[in-house]
Amino acid sequence: MVDAVDEAPAVQSIGGDSQPVSVLAKVHLLLTAFTQGTTTLGLTALSQRSGVSKGSAHRLASELVELGYLARTFQGYQLGWRMFELGQLVPGPAELRDVARPALQDLRMACHSVVHFAVPHGAECVYLERIAGRRELGIIDAVGDRVPNYSTASGRIFLAYTDAQTIANLDRTALARLGVRHHEELVPLFAEIRQRRYAEERSQCLRGFKSISVPVMYPATDHVIASVSVTVPVDRKNDQQLVHALWATSADISRGLLRRPSSTGRTESARAVRLVG
């Protein structure tokens, strides 16, 4: 178990302010030190990236290894299988991904493109599923599993259907990435996305590639629960065909949510709306 000395609050600078950090908060800092492209960290790097002292990092990491939340290799620490197992039990995303996967695979075969399935999480777009061929894996590696909404086509779908306060809180970086200078300019931009039912971005996430995304809604509502998108070379010319394929995939996923049986044996109802809420 954790040494008693670690149970006392430690003073640590987070966001520029010194404040007490509990053992649980230290564990959180250690686990979130791992990011896309940084899956293995030595003790020194783990301490530096998390801000947890080297001694505490060593004690907590050792216990996390015993519990399965971290794994120890010759190169350093990695996230353990227990993290993966728990992640599969998160009800909303897991159910959505299970329903969506067959339709996403069909989309991949039809469009010969990189396919993404994402959900909104606060100000970020979180990818639940990505399908790509061997030659296209670099596209996936170039974009993290969670990115700001303003930087992706899927995120722009989520922004187009979000509340006015969220839009008002977008900073200058977000406005610039969306191609506007003032918040007022976002009103017609997002209205157009809602009207045409798709969003796009070109060479912002990855130079030379464009992405097109459509919303996945619960049937008969305007509640966006996810998005499905494709990424193709920017000079590919069949955008309208891609949009129609995306719409068909979105409708297929929505119908799948209605057909999916719940734990009580009945088909899903409005609970599906709250899967990622």
Side-chain angles (χ1 to χ4, degrees):
M1 297 299 293
V2 180
D3 294 341
V5 66
D6 277 329
E7 295 177 0
V11 175
Q12 180 172 311
S13 178
I14 298 180
D17 297 324
S18 294
Q19 54 182 299
V21 177
S22 66
V23 173
L24 182 59
K26 289 180 182 179
V27 169
H28 168 76
L29 291 170
L30 291 174
L31 295 178
T32 56
F34 297 90
T35 59
Q36 180 80 8
T38 308
T39 58
T40 303
L41 293 170
L43 179 59
T44 299
L46 182 60
S47 173
Q48 292 174 344
R49 290 176 67 95
S50 66
V52 177
S53 68
K54 197 168 184 179
S56 292
H58 180 264
R59 289 192 295 273
L60 292 173
S62 296
E63 185 167 357
L64 289 170
V65 169
E66 293 180 8
L67 295 173
Y69 294 100
L70 289 181
R72 189 76 169 92
T73 70
F74 288 112
Q75 291 77 28
Y77 294 97
Q78 298 176 341
L79 294 177
W81 273 97
R82 187 58 179 153
M83 294 288 292
F84 174 79
E85 293 168 347
L86 290 176
Q88 302 306 297
L89 299 177
V90 178
E95 292 177 39
L96 273 175
R97 186 176 55 193
D98 289 346
V99 170
R101 188 176 288 118
L104 299 175
Q105 291 172 337
D106 288 345
L107 179 63
R108 160 69 186 173
M109 293 295 293
C111 295
H112 304 287
S113 62
V114 180
V115 172
H116 310 273
F117 184 62
V119 295
H121 184 69
E124 294 180 316
C125 169
V126 180
Y127 294 102
L128 298 185
E129 189 73 83
R130 287 161 151 178
I131 304 176
R134 187 177 304 172
R135 296 179 180 179
E136 301 160 322
L137 292 178
I139 297 175
I140 292 179
D141 292 340
V143 182
D145 291 330
R146 53 195 304 161
V147 293
N149 280 331
Y150 59 76
S151 65
T152 68
S154 290
R156 293 174 188 190
I157 288 289
F158 301 145
L159 287 173
Y161 288 87
T162 194
D163 59 274
Q165 187 58 52
T166 298
I167 302 302
N169 290 336
L170 292 174
D171 60 19
R172 291 182 179 179
T173 298
L175 295 179
R177 291 293 295 273
L178 290 167
V180 302
R181 298 181 62 183
H182 306 288
H183 286 85
E184 293 79 7
E185 299 175 69
L186 294 174
V187 175
L189 173 65
F190 292 145
E192 181 183 5
I193 290 176
R194 291 193 301 272
Q195 181 178 13
R196 68 187 187 184
R197 293 188 297 131
Y198 73 87
E200 60 184 341
E201 66 84 15
R202 295 172 179 266
S203 291
Q204 289 197 1
C205 284
L206 185 62
R207 184 175 298 276
F209 290 88
K210 62 185 176 183
S211 294
I212 303 174
S213 178
V214 304
V216 177
M217 298 180 176
Y218 189 75
T221 76
D222 290 328
H223 185 85
V224 175
I225 57 177
S227 71
V228 57
S229 64
V230 293
T231 298
V232 298
V234 74
D235 57 357
R236 186 162 164 175
K237 303 299 183 182
N238 63 335
D239 285 12
Q240 200 56 46
Q241 290 93 332
L242 292 174
V243 169
H244 282 281
L246 285 164
W247 282 338
T249 301
S250 172
D252 194 6
I253 295 171
S254 295
R255 288 191 297 268
L257 286 172
L258 285 176
R259 294 192 300 264
R260 184 175 177 84
S262 67
S263 58
T264 63
R266 295 174 294 184
T267 55
E268 294 289 342
S269 60
R271 188 178 72 85
V273 176
R274 301 189 298 273
L275 283 175
V276 295

